[in-house]
Amino acid sequence: MRIIVYGSLRRKQGNSHWMTNGQWLGDHQISGYALYNLGHYPGVVVGEGQVYCEVYRIDASTLGELDALRTQGGEYKRTLVQTPYGSAWLYVYQRSVRGKQRIDSGNWLLRDAQEQS
C-alpha cells in the first residue's frame, strides 16, 4: 500500500522517523487541496491549490501506527488519492482552519520563507 505525506512525515522533518520502514517512491503535487500551518505540523483540506508531497510504499503495520498518530480524536481522516505511483492514502484535516495561516506555496518546507515575506 502507499501513503502520500506533506508535512512532518516528509524526509528530514520532525516525524520522518515514522517512515523509516517505508520505501520512498518519489515526489508528487496533489491538486484540489490547500495546506495550512497548524503550529508544529500542517493540515490539508479540500480547496483550491496544490500541495507538494512525498509518496511512500508502506506495510500494514506502519499504516496502523500512522492511523493511531493521525486519526486519534478525529483530527484527520484518511482518504484515497491518485498519484503517478498508484493510489495512496492521504490524511485530510477535519477541523476548522479559520484563523490558521494558509501556506500559499503548498510546500511545508517553505513555510518559514512565507512568514518572512
Side-chain angles (χ1 to χ4, degrees):
M1 69 190 69
R2 286 168 292 279
I3 190 163
I4 187 165
V5 299
Y6 50 83
S8 64
L9 293 171
R10 288 175 67 181
R11 290 173 287 169
K12 299 181 183 175
Q13 296 301 297
N15 285 323
S16 62
H17 63 276
W18 289 96
M19 304 310 295
T20 303
N21 293 328
Q23 176 190 7
W24 177 72
L25 299 175
D27 296 324
H28 179 58
Q29 294 178 49
I30 55 171
S31 297
Y33 292 91
L35 182 68
Y36 284 86
N37 188 338
L38 305 176
H40 295 292
Y41 55 92
V44 297
V45 296
V46 173
E48 291 185 26
Q50 291 191 329
V51 178
Y52 291 83
C53 304
E54 297 171 0
V55 182
Y56 289 84
R57 179 175 286 118
I58 59 172
D59 59 23
S61 175
T62 301
L63 185 64
E65 291 171 355
L66 293 173
D67 277 351
L69 177 71
R70 294 287 180 228
T71 62
Q72 187 175 31
E75 191 171 25
Y76 291 87
K77 180 180 179 183
R78 188 163 36 96
T79 188
L80 207 53
V81 297
Q82 295 304 313
T83 78
Y85 311 99
S87 57
W89 291 111
L90 171 72
Y91 289 101
V92 177
Y93 191 64
Q94 297 297 297
R95 297 185 179 156
S96 172
V97 292
R98 178 180 285 210
K100 305 293 184 188
Q101 180 187 22
R102 182 177 171 154
I103 301 171
D104 295 326
S105 69
N107 189 337
W108 176 246
L109 304 183
L110 300 178
R111 68 192 178 280
D112 293 333
Q114 179 174 313
E115 290 175 5
Q116 294 171 3
S117 52

